[in-house]
Amino acid sequence: MVLLDVDIKSKNKEGKSIKIDGRYKLIELSRCLELDPCPLDEGTKNNLKFLIGIRNLVEHDGSHQVDDAISAKLQQCCINYNKCIKDIFGNQYGLDGQMTLALQFVNLDPIQQYQSDGEDLLPSSITTYISDFEKKLSDNQYNDSNYACRLTFFRRSENNKKN
């Protein structure tokens, strides 16, 4: 278990903690990722930085095609979140006992996947952001399993339970 002693309250120019409606305003997640010490590994940080940037772009857009284009990063963020909870607070707080499987409501069609991966339907600001963000990553950072969850699915073609 990792314990951190870091003041995460937002401060004004005079160094005083900022309160909004009587509650302390905390620093943004993007600033937390830059703090030393930060218990997160580089792949997890890159995953969060990517998703923060996407959120900032689509905050008022509501484009449904974004989910298809960034699903690998969204899935990995969930996995990273559970891992960090257990690493920082202990295994007993992990979510894997309650929420082990995400259900998919869309049939995976390989022909459809090859025709379009959804990015050509996205606003150009989002495709540019994705491209620019990933160009800055080294091959090791891009391929880090904590950055994106890339899975290969195959359809089972056997109907005989013995096979």
Side-chain angles (χ1 to χ4, degrees):
M1 182 186 320
V2 177
L3 295 175
L4 302 175
D5 185 19
V6 177
D7 184 7
I8 59 170
K9 294 180 198 130
S10 286
K11 310 269 192 238
N12 61 19
K13 292 180 182 179
E14 292 81 39
K16 294 184 179 183
S17 296
I18 300 171
K19 284 190 173 185
I20 298 175
D21 296 329
R23 295 174 28 196
Y24 287 108
K25 179 181 183 237
L26 304 179
I27 62 174
E28 299 83 16
L29 177 58
S30 56
R31 287 200 40 222
C32 288
L33 297 174
E34 304 303 324
L35 291 176
D36 188 30
C38 178
L40 306 180
D41 60 77
E42 184 178 38
T44 300
K45 286 182 184 182
N46 283 332
N47 176 267
L48 288 170
K49 288 175 185 177
F50 176 84
L51 293 175
I52 290 166
I54 287 289
R55 185 206 62 99
N56 292 344
L57 281 174
V58 299
E59 190 170 12
H60 302 290
D61 180 5
S63 175
H64 297 291
Q65 290 80 20
V66 174
D67 292 348
D68 295 337
I70 65 168
S71 62
K73 280 92 168 179
L74 293 170
Q75 179 61 54
Q76 191 57 50
C77 188
C78 294
I79 293 168
N80 290 343
Y81 181 67
N82 188 56
K83 180 185 179 305
C84 290
I85 286 174
K86 294 188 324 186
D87 289 350
I88 295 171
F89 301 108
N91 286 337
Q92 70 271 27
Y93 295 105
L95 300 173
D96 43 347
Q98 291 82 24
M99 303 182 332
T100 57
L101 180 66
L103 299 175
Q104 178 113 0
F105 291 100
V106 178
N107 193 16
L108 296 176
D109 181 358
I111 294 170
Q112 182 183 25
Q113 290 289 61
Y114 289 123
Q115 288 175 346
S116 170
D117 58 2
E119 290 191 64
D120 56 337
L121 303 173
L122 294 171
S124 62
S125 61
I126 294 173
T127 55
T128 300
Y129 171 80
I130 293 170
S131 176
D132 290 348
F133 187 92
E134 292 186 342
K135 281 179 189 173
K136 294 176 190 173
L137 299 177
S138 68
D139 287 344
N140 285 343
Q141 290 172 319
Y142 179 80
N143 292 318
D144 187 326
S145 62
N146 287 335
Y147 172 60
C149 180
R150 297 175 186 98
L151 304 172
T152 302
F153 291 96
F154 62 94
R155 195 174 287 281
R156 200 168 107 191
S157 60
E158 293 292 329
N159 288 330
N160 184 342
K161 65 181 176 182
K162 292 181 182 179
N163 293 335

